[in-house]
Amino acid sequence: MELQDPRVRSLLRQANKVADSGKKAAAEQLYRQLLDEAPDVAEAWYGLGQVLNDPAEQKEAYKKATALEPDFAPAVRALAELRGEPVPAWAIEPEEPEEEEAAPEPELVGETAVPPTEAEYELVCYRHPSRPTSLRCYNCGKPICSSCAIKTPVGYSCPDCIREKEDVFFNATALDYVVAPAIGLVLSLITGYLVSRFAIGGGFFIYFIMVFIGGFAGRIIGQLSKQAIGRRRGRYLPQVMVVMLVLGTAVWLLPILIFNGFASLLAFIGPGIFLFVAGGALFSYMK
Ligand SMILES: [Zn+2]
Ligand SMILES: [Zn+2]
């Protein structure tokens, strides 16, 4: 028996667990994978027999199991039942081969020892080696814990696979990160100047106007910059553009603020509203 090998043991447990949950095809695949590596594990042959549907194949699997371990009662019993022969007396009493419950011991999964209390889990999150899990990424099959798993319409995905898909989605070039912010800054300087001319002090009418102007300005700045870069998307482009807007506006507002010794902060409610609304519109447009 090669059950001393922690990897083989881990595979066997995983296969048994999948078989217990009724996923026969998946379990068969796991048993076969295990047997490719370690063809002399009687328990795996027995497990394979349990999940096969064809009696002839089942018989073959049980035969292999009993040939490897002639006193392996469950396999002897299963083989006898398949052949319609009487079960030998010594093999009749079903014995529980559940060694994992009897003697839990630390198990190697990858390079990390899993504490015995968590031995029932076969896998650990690839990002958090201390977290046992039974979830796998549907795309790459890596084990993931529940806080790393990202729900998608087709199943749970790991963050790496999500990022890979996003990288296809985000197609902006390095030049785009120069062109769009440059256009954004120029336009923001213009709107910032107008805001600093007309919106300081203000009053409710100005606040009201700033909501509309802000939304309009944010959208126009986004639209023109995006057109200039062929409508490509950049992961950080929305943030960069908002920074440009703030810069282009602050250049005009700050000197006034400093000149007034920050005494008249209330007068800047109008420009504040403008920045807030325009920034939001620009950000969502660039996304
Ligand atoms: Zn993945
Ligand atoms: Zn995790």
Side-chain angles (χ1 to χ4, degrees):
M1 291 272 281
E2 289 184 30
L3 281 187
Q4 298 313 101
D5 182 347
R7 183 179 147 71
V8 169
R9 279 197 354 202
S10 172
L11 272 173
L12 182 61
R13 280 192 197 172
Q14 200 180 330
N16 287 342
K17 207 164 114 179
V18 172
D20 285 344
S21 70
K23 293 172 192 147
K24 287 190 164 193
E28 181 186 339
Q29 208 181 342
L30 287 170
Y31 284 124
R32 290 201 188 278
Q33 189 188 331
L34 193 168
L35 289 165
D36 277 346
E37 282 182 38
D40 54 354
V41 178
E43 275 179 65
W45 283 111
Y46 170 70
L48 178 64
Q50 296 281 90
V51 295
L52 289 171
N53 291 317
D54 178 15
E57 281 185 310
Q58 279 184 304
K59 209 182 284 180
E60 279 310 302
Y62 293 141
K63 260 197 239 168
K64 288 249 170 71
T66 51
L68 287 163
E69 269 190 60
D71 55 353
F72 185 16
V76 171
R77 211 159 47 233
L79 187 58
E81 276 162 13
L82 256 184
R83 285 172 167 163
E85 291 169 0
V87 179
W90 63 268
I92 285 176
E93 194 54 38
E95 61 170 284
E96 285 297 305
E98 304 261 317
E99 52 185 294
E100 54 245 75
E101 271 166 44
E105 42 191 310
E107 177 180 358
L108 286 173
V109 176
E111 288 167 16
T112 316
V114 176
T117 47
E118 289 160 350
E120 60 178 286
Y121 291 100
E122 312 304 327
L123 310 163
V124 292
C125 175
Y126 80 98
R127 301 170 83 215
H128 304 99
S130 63
R131 292 190 198 166
T133 180
S134 55
L135 270 181
R136 279 172 181 278
C137 170
Y138 82 92
N139 190 45
C140 66
K142 280 194 294 243
I144 34 176
C145 72
S146 54
S147 59
C148 292
I150 299 154
K151 203 170 188 233
T152 75
V154 272
Y156 287 99
S157 175
C158 71
D160 287 350
C161 288
I162 294 282
R163 206 178 165 86
E164 233 167 73
K165 293 215 175 66
E166 281 177 353
D167 284 342
V168 178
F169 178 75
F170 292 125
N171 51 0
T173 65
L175 184 62
D176 294 343
Y177 273 95
V178 178
V179 172
I183 292 173
L185 184 58
V186 170
L187 295 174
S188 300
L189 282 168
I190 297 168
T191 53
Y193 172 74
L194 294 174
V195 165
S196 72
R197 280 293 307 264
F198 300 109
I200 292 175
F204 283 106
F205 179 67
I206 290 291
Y207 302 163
F208 187 70
I209 295 285
M210 282 303 116
V211 173
F212 286 94
I213 303 276
F216 183 71
R219 216 188 131 78
I220 291 291
I221 294 172
Q223 207 166 346
L224 292 176
S225 321
K226 221 169 174 179
Q227 254 164 30
I229 58 169
R231 310 203 66 78
R232 282 183 290 273
R233 288 187 183 85
R235 189 188 293 276
Y236 306 109
L237 218 40
Q239 290 89 326
V240 171
M241 292 302 286
V242 170
V243 169
M244 292 301 125
L245 175 76
V246 173
L247 279 180
T249 314
V251 159
W252 306 106
L253 296 181
L254 273 182
I256 303 173
L257 261 178
I258 292 165
F259 186 73
N260 292 333
F262 291 91
S264 52
L265 271 176
L266 277 179
F268 288 85
I269 289 178
I273 293 174
F274 170 83
L275 263 185
F276 185 76
V277 176
L282 179 57
F283 187 87
S284 63
Y285 195 86
M286 294 309 294
K287 270 191 132 178

